Amino acid sequence: MSLLIKNGEIVTADSRYVADIYCEGETITRIDRDLAAPPGCEVVDARGKFVFPGFIDPHVHIYLPFMGTFSKDTYESGSRAALVGGTTTLIEMCCPARSDDALQSFELWMSQAVGKSACDFTFHMGVTKFNDATEAQLREIVRRGISSFKIFLAYKGAFGIDDTELYRTLKLARELGVIVTAHCENETLVAERCKELLAAGKTDPAQHHESRPPAVEAEGVHHLLTFAELTGAATYIVHLSCKEALDQAVAARQRGVRVGIETLIQYLTLDKTYAERPNFEGAKFVMSPPLRDARNQDVLWHGLRDGLIQTVATDHAPFDFEKQKPMGREDFTKIPNGIPSLEERINLLYTHGVARGRIDLHTLVNVASTQVAKLFDLFPRKGAIQPGADADLVVFDPHYRGKISAKTQHMAVDYSAFEGWPIEGRPSVVTVRGQIAARDGQFVGTVGRGRFLRRAPSHF
Ligand code: URP
Ligand code: ZN
Ligand code: ZN
C-alpha cells in the first residue's frame, strides 16, 4: 500500500511549504518536490489545498455512563464523525464510577474501542477514588501504555475525589511521570448553589450557569494548582472556559507550577445566551463548566494566539435533545451535561479562527494536533509531517463553503449545537496510517482498523 499526496501546501506548527508526501504502508517516508508515483500507488492531487498533520482531540467521551444515562456515540459512529471532521486520533476519558474497580474499568473502556474504532485512540485514566488498591492498579495501567490520568474536582458523589485522594494521585503521578488532567470546579459550591436555586423555584436550563459561575471554576483551578505546586506533578486543566480561571492558571504557571491549559471549541464560539433559549431549547447548550458571557471569547482566542492556552478540544459528550436532555425538564441539575462537537472542531476552528484572522494556520495545527501530541506522549509519531511519522494527514480545502446540520452529521445524536452555521473550508481527504478514511464529508475508512496507542510517561 502506498500513497502520494501531490502539490499540497504542507502546514505544520512551525513551517509552510509546497511539496509532495510519499507514504509507504502506514508511514510517511519521503517529502520532496516532484515525486513520481510508483506503479499501483494511489495519488491524491492536493493542489490549492493545505496538508495538515492529522488532528488529535485530547478530550472526548465515547462510552460515558453519566447522570443516569449513556452518551450516544459508539466507537464506530464517533470515529467516523471524527475522521470526516479531520480528527485522526481520539484521547478518551476512561471514567469509572467511584464504586468501580480501576483496572476492570480500563479493560471495559478498551473493549468499547478495540476492533470498533476507525481511527487511533488512547485514554486518560480516570482516578475517581484513590486507595492502596487503586494505586496498584494505576501502576499496572501505566505499564499497559497509559501516561495520563483524569481527575474531577466536580460531580460530588459521582466522579469527584476529595483532597486526600487528590494529593495522593498527584504524588503518584509525579513519581510515574504521568500528567494529570483535571476538571476544575469546586464541587461543594456547585452543590450548595444548586440546592439554593432549586429551593427558590429556579429550575430552567439557564440556572445551570448560576450554579457554577466563573468564581467556582477559578477556585477549582487555584485548588488544583496549589496541590500541584506542593507535589511537583505535571497538570493539565481541561475545558477552561473563562478569564477568571485563566488568570489563576497563568499566575500559577508564573510561580513555576507545571500546567497545560485546554479550552473547547464550544467556549470559543458559543456563549451563555444559547443556554437561556426558551422552551427548554437551552438544554442543548448545558455543559460543565457552562457556556460563559461572550466577553470571554476574546480572552480565549488571545490566549491561544499568545501561547497561554495549549490546546483546543471538544469534550464531546452527546446526549439526545428529544429523549435525554428532558431528564432535566423540571430540574436543571438533571440535564445530562454535554454539547456534541467532535465532527465540527476543525471546521469551526478554521472558520472562526483562521478565516477571521484570530489565529494563524500554525496555531491551528499546534493547538489541535502538535501540542496535544507533545503533552500526551504521542509526538512525533502523531502531530508531525516528517519521515517516520504515522501517515495521518488532512488535505484541507479552504475554498469549500457549506453549512452544519444534524441531518448530515455522522455523530449519533439528534441535534447540532451549530445548526445552520456556515463553514468556510473542510477536509477533502483524511488518512489514517496511509489509508484514506474520509473524502469530502463522507466516511470511506475501515471500522475496526483504529489502533490503541501505547504511551510512555515523560513528565518527570
Ligand atoms: O458537560 C460536560 N463537560 N460533560 C462531559 C463530562 C465532563 O465534565 O467532562
Ligand atoms: Zn469535565
Ligand atoms: Zn469531559
Side-chain angles (χ1 to χ4, degrees), residues 415-427:
Y415 77 99
S416 170
F418 308 97
E419 187 66 43
W421 284 33
I423 50 164
E424 299 171 22
R426 75 167 178 189

Side-chain angles (χ1 to χ4, degrees), residues 59 61 64 66 150 152 155 183 239 287-288 315 317 337-338:
H59 183 170
H61 302 272
L64 180 63
F66 185 46
K150 168 70 183 287
F152 293 89
Y155 306 131
H183 176 139
H239 52 39
M287 67 174 301
S288 296
D315 190 11
N337 286 199

Side-chain angles (χ1 to χ4, degrees), residues 268-283:
L268 290 164
T269 55
L270 301 167
D271 63 62
K272 77 185 176 90
T273 60
Y274 286 85
E276 292 163 3
R277 288 185 172 178
N279 304 321
F280 197 63
E281 211 206 327

Side-chain angles (χ1 to χ4, degrees), residues 134-175:
T134 319
E135 178 176 335
Q137 293 185 336
L138 290 171
R139 288 178 187 277
E140 172 59 19
I141 291 165
V142 171
R143 272 194 291 276
R144 291 191 192 182
I146 295 297
S147 65
S148 48
F149 294 158
K150 168 70 183 287
I151 56 169
F152 293 89
L153 305 186
Y155 306 131
K156 211 178 181 67
F159 300 137
I161 53 174
D162 66 26
D163 282 352
T164 306
E165 293 170 314
L166 172 61
Y167 189 67
R168 292 189 64 190
T169 304
L170 291 177
K171 290 222 344 174
L172 177 67
R174 174 80 177 105
E175 180 200 322

Side-chain angles (χ1 to χ4, degrees), residues 186 197 335 400 452:
N186 182 302
L197 287 161
I335 299 170
Y400 174 81
F452 171 63

